[in-house]
């Protein structure tokens, strides 16, 4: 608007027409802290001309809302652009953009049903969905050359690079012993290559005979790295209590970065390292259980890790993850998924069925119902001795002398204005343990595991960015494409 008004000489109505027929809004999150709200005084002081334009947009929009909702401020206030001394950037986008999309089917439904409910009721034609996609040429062909060679042999030389749906042709080899064996060998080779890289970088020796169980993503409580850690503590306690515990050896690999001011996320990273240290120094865990926090998680590391991963942890609280793209990269490289029905996991499940991934936990609607009914995590703690022991381990501390009373308190009683167990870790704990058990039992049959892996790769073409960009081009931008 500033450029069109001040530099191009358009009048307000002409400029507003251009803006509102040119700009579309992709929402990437339902988290309140990411739907930016800026202090009014900050913009007034440092961006005075922008402030003038914002005031005009806001006043016109608010008048339209007031007319539409017949003066009902309970409807107008949450949708206003400037209200209570704040400038609400998401509401500005909803006002000014001609299309609004989420990045997975579930996420887009939540935008309509909850985050922008009244805006959707007023302008339903604005709202649509474009599920995220990833560049399969980078995240499969370039970073996993052995798998790329297998796909070329099975699906035609270069076909899948420009037609990712051609990956479906792999399904005809689901009972081909040679192809399944080769797929297993590719994964084993990638594990060894990654282990060699880790050894060079950090001196840590990974057990490549163990299942590589991986959770790499931004560190946030809703992504529930802490749930993963609690399960590892359970396995360790079980192993110590029962030397004959029948256990599928596992190497847990974590990678994450925390926002600079996110103290709880940093504490969870510290906890992962405390647990890793305890397990590394216990002879009972040798060749059976290993935990490694990978330093400086980044794209170049991910390009080495994704091909080596066997299990993908996608365990966010249902309704919180907009889409995820790591889940797609893992799937495309043949890792199986243990996860909730959240974000694009929902669409992955639609493609794969129950038999080709390990689902667990509350659905998004069940999470909301539990909130309404009044969730009391202390009850789970008091009646579940396994959970009780895992949480108590946070209080008693680990070999390095660090205790995590703060995380214990946060889960059971809440802290800093957050409710107890805000992301329902304890509610999903038993279901998660059962999903991990099913996964470990499946892993023992490598032919069955490789068949599931092949099926995941074959169905992953829909998550290529080619499809996502084509949907934007066809349904939002209305531009031609090949």
């Amino acid at each position: 608007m500033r450029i069109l008004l001040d530099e191009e000489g358009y009048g307000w109505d002409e400029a507003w027409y251009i803006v509102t027929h040119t700009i579309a809004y992709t929402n990437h999150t339902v988290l309140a802290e990411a739907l930016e709200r800026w202090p009014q005084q900050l913009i007034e002081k440092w961006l005075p001309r922008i402030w003038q334009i914002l005031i005009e947009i806001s006043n016109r929009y608010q008048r339209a809302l007031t007319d539409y909702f017949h003066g009902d401020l309970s409807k107008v206030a949450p949708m206003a652009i400037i209200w209570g001394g704040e400038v609400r950037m998401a509401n500005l986008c909803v006002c000014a953009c001609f299309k609004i999309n989420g990045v997975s089917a579930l996420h887009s439904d939540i935008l309509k049903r909850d985050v922008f409910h009244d805006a959707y009721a007023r302008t339903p034609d604005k709202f649509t969905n474009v599920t995220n996609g990833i560049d399969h040429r980078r995240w499969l062909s370039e970073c996993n050359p052995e798998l790329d060679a297998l796909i070329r042999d099975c699906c035609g030389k270069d076909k899948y690079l420009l037609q990712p749906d051609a990956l479906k042709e792999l399904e005809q080899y689901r009972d081909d012993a040679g192809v399944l064996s080769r797929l297993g060998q590719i994964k084993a080779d990638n594990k060894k290559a990654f282990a060699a890289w880790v050894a060079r970088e950090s001196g840590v020796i990974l057990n490549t005979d163990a299942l590589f169980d991986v959770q790499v993503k931004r560190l946030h409580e809703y992504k529930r790295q802490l749930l993963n850690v609690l399960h590892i503590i359970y396995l360790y306690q079980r192993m110590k209590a029962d030397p004959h515990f029948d256990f599928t050896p596992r190497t847990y690999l974590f990678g994450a970065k925390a926002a600079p001011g996110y103290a709880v996320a940093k504490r969870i990273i510290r906890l992962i390292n405390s647990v890793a240290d305890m397990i590394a120094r216990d002879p009972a865990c040798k060749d059976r259980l290993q935990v490694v926090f990978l330093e400086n998680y980044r794209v170049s590391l991910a390009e080495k890790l994704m091909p080596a991963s066997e299990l993908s942890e996608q365990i966010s609280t249902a309704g919180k993850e907009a889409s995820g793209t790591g889940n797609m990269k893992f799937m495309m490289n043949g890792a199986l998924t243990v996860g909730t029905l959240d974000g694009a996991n929902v669409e992955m499940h639609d493609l794969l069925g129950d038999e080709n991934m390990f689902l667990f936990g509350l659905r998004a609607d069940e999470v909301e119902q539990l909130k309404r009914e009044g969730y009391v995590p202390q009850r789970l703690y008091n009646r579940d001795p396994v959970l009780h022991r895992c949480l108590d381990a946070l209080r008693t501390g680990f070999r390095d002398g660090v205790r995590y009373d703060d995380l214990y308190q946060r889960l059971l009683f809440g802290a800093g204005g957050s409710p107890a167990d805000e992301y329902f870790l304890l509610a999903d704990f038993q279901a998660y343990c059962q999903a991990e058990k099913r996964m470990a039992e499946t892993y023992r049959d490598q032919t069955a595991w490789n068949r599931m892996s092949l099926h995941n790769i074959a169905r992953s073409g829909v998550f290529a960015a080619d499809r996502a960009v084509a949907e934007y081009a066809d349904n939002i931008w209305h531009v031609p494409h090949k």
Side-chain angles (χ1 to χ4, degrees):
M1 285 296 289
R2 190 198 66 77
I3 291 169
L4 293 173
L5 292 171
D6 297 352
E7 297 182 20
E8 300 296 332
Y10 286 95
W12 182 275
D13 291 341
E14 294 170 303
W16 186 245
Y17 180 88
I18 293 170
V19 166
T20 56
H21 288 75
T22 305
I23 309 299
Y25 172 35
T26 294
N27 175 284
H28 282 275
T29 181
V30 299
L31 297 183
E33 65 263 31
L35 298 175
E36 295 178 14
R37 298 180 177 213
W38 291 97
Q40 174 181 326
Q41 290 180 332
L42 191 69
I43 296 178
E44 282 182 290
K45 180 178 179 180
W46 295 107
L47 301 169
R49 178 56 176 147
I50 297 297
W51 174 247
Q52 290 178 333
I53 295 171
L54 278 171
I55 282 285
E56 186 64 25
I57 294 171
S58 177
N59 287 344
R60 290 175 180 237
Y61 187 50
Q62 199 163 313
R63 284 195 297 270
L65 294 176
T66 300
D67 288 344
Y68 182 81
F69 291 111
H70 309 292
D72 184 351
L73 283 183
S74 69
K75 299 283 190 182
V76 173
M79 296 176 65
I81 295 168
I82 300 172
W83 194 274
E86 292 181 324
V87 179
R88 300 165 175 174
M89 304 306 289
N91 285 356
L92 177 63
C93 291
V94 169
C95 164
C97 296
F98 71 91
K99 278 290 183 183
I100 301 157
N101 69 277
V103 289
S104 73
L106 176 62
H107 174 219
S108 295
D109 285 343
I110 289 171
L111 295 183
K112 295 174 187 177
R113 189 175 66 244
D114 182 14
V115 181
F116 302 129
H117 170 73
D118 290 329
Y120 171 65
R122 180 171 175 261
T123 55
D125 290 344
K126 273 192 176 186
F127 288 78
T128 187
N129 173 67
V130 181
T131 297
N132 270 336
I134 60 171
D135 181 0
H136 68 293
R137 287 167 287 273
R138 178 175 198 163
W139 289 106
L140 197 168
S141 179
E142 187 175 335
C143 76
N144 198 343
E146 284 193 62
L147 181 56
D148 173 70
L150 174 62
I151 293 168
R152 288 168 184 264
D153 288 346
C154 294
C155 304
K157 190 168 184 250
D158 295 325
K159 187 177 179 183
Y160 90 99
L161 295 181
L162 293 178
Q163 301 174 43
D165 275 350
L167 288 170
K168 287 182 181 177
E169 295 176 21
L170 286 172
E171 291 185 15
Q172 63 187 300
Y173 298 97
R174 65 184 309 276
D175 295 315
D176 187 312
V179 169
L180 296 179
S181 175
R182 185 175 167 189
L183 183 62
Q185 187 59 52
I186 290 168
K187 186 64 71 175
D189 292 345
N190 289 336
K191 288 170 69 176
K192 289 174 184 174
F194 181 71
W197 181 83
V198 170
R200 290 193 302 271
E201 288 288 308
S202 64
V204 174
I205 305 301
L206 301 181
N207 178 14
T208 56
D209 291 327
L211 184 159
F212 274 18
D213 186 318
V214 183
Q215 188 174 19
V216 289
K217 52 184 75 244
R218 183 167 55 88
L219 202 306
H220 198 293
E221 288 168 276
Y222 87 81
K223 294 178 184 285
R224 301 202 295 190
Q225 286 93 344
L226 184 52
L227 176 59
N228 194 348
V229 178
L230 289 175
H231 177 253
I232 294 170
I233 292 171
Y234 153 70
L235 291 176
Y236 177 76
Q237 291 175 341
R238 176 84 186 272
M239 192 180 297
K240 295 294 285 184
D242 178 9
H244 303 294
F245 174 36
D246 190 15
F247 179 75
T248 300
R250 258 165 277 185
T251 291
Y252 284 93
L253 299 170
F254 289 88
K257 291 181 178 178
Y262 196 170
V264 177
K266 293 179 180 181
R267 287 290 284 168
I268 294 170
I269 291 175
R270 181 71 186 270
L271 171 63
I272 294 169
N273 282 283
S274 288
V275 172
D277 172 73
M278 173 184 69
I279 289 171
R281 294 175 183 271
D282 192 330
C285 298
K286 182 174 172 56
D287 297 329
R288 300 185 75 197
L289 183 61
Q290 183 178 31
V291 179
V292 176
F293 187 89
L294 300 165
E295 295 179 8
N296 191 19
Y297 181 60
R298 59 203 185 276
V299 169
S300 57
L301 190 161
E303 287 175 320
K304 298 174 180 66
L305 176 60
M306 297 292 178
S309 301
E310 293 176 285
L311 187 74
S312 163
E313 297 274 354
Q314 305 297 329
I315 59 177
S316 55
T317 310
K320 292 296 182 182
E321 187 71 78
S323 166
T325 52
N327 50 359
M328 302 171 188
K329 294 165 190 169
F330 282 114
M331 178 186 183
M332 199 169 273
N333 281 278
L336 304 189
T337 300
V338 58
T340 52
L341 280 173
D342 194 29
N345 290 359
V346 175
E347 286 147 282
M348 287 168 59
H349 176 250
D350 290 343
L351 291 165
L352 295 170
D354 289 343
E355 65 276 14
N356 288 296
M357 61 190 301
F358 305 98
L359 287 179
F360 76 95
L362 299 167
R363 299 189 306 269
D365 59 328
E366 293 171 330
V367 168
E368 293 305 314
Q369 182 179 346
L370 198 51
K371 283 182 187 176
R372 290 192 299 270
E373 292 173 351
Y375 174 50
V376 185
Q378 298 98 308
R379 293 174 185 164
L380 296 170
Y381 171 76
N382 290 330
R383 69 175 181 236
D384 184 342
V386 171
L387 187 56
H388 200 292
R389 287 191 294 271
C390 291
L391 289 175
D392 284 356
L394 301 179
R395 301 185 75 187
T396 56
F398 299 90
R399 195 206 65 85
D400 58 6
V402 182
R403 300 194 311 175
Y404 296 89
D405 298 83
D406 52 337
L407 297 180
Y408 173 91
Q409 291 288 332
R410 195 173 186 85
L411 287 172
L412 289 179
F413 306 104
S418 297
D421 192 17
E422 182 176 6
Y423 298 105
F424 299 87
L425 279 72
L426 308 192
D428 275 347
F429 178 76
Q430 281 296 342
Y432 179 52
C433 290
Q434 289 301 314
E436 287 278 330
K437 184 180 179 183
R438 294 197 309 274
M439 178 278 300
E441 290 170 350
T442 304
Y443 188 74
R444 295 179 184 184
D445 183 345
Q446 280 293 290
T447 299
W449 185 275
N450 291 335
R451 185 178 293 113
M452 292 168 70
S453 175
L454 187 79
H455 193 70
N456 271 256
I457 299 165
R459 294 296 177 95
S460 66
V462 70
F463 295 117
D466 298 34
R467 184 269 314 153
V469 172
E471 288 182 8
Y472 277 111
D474 288 338
N475 303 325
I476 295 178
W477 306 330
H478 302 298
V479 294
H481 64 91
K482 290 184 179 180

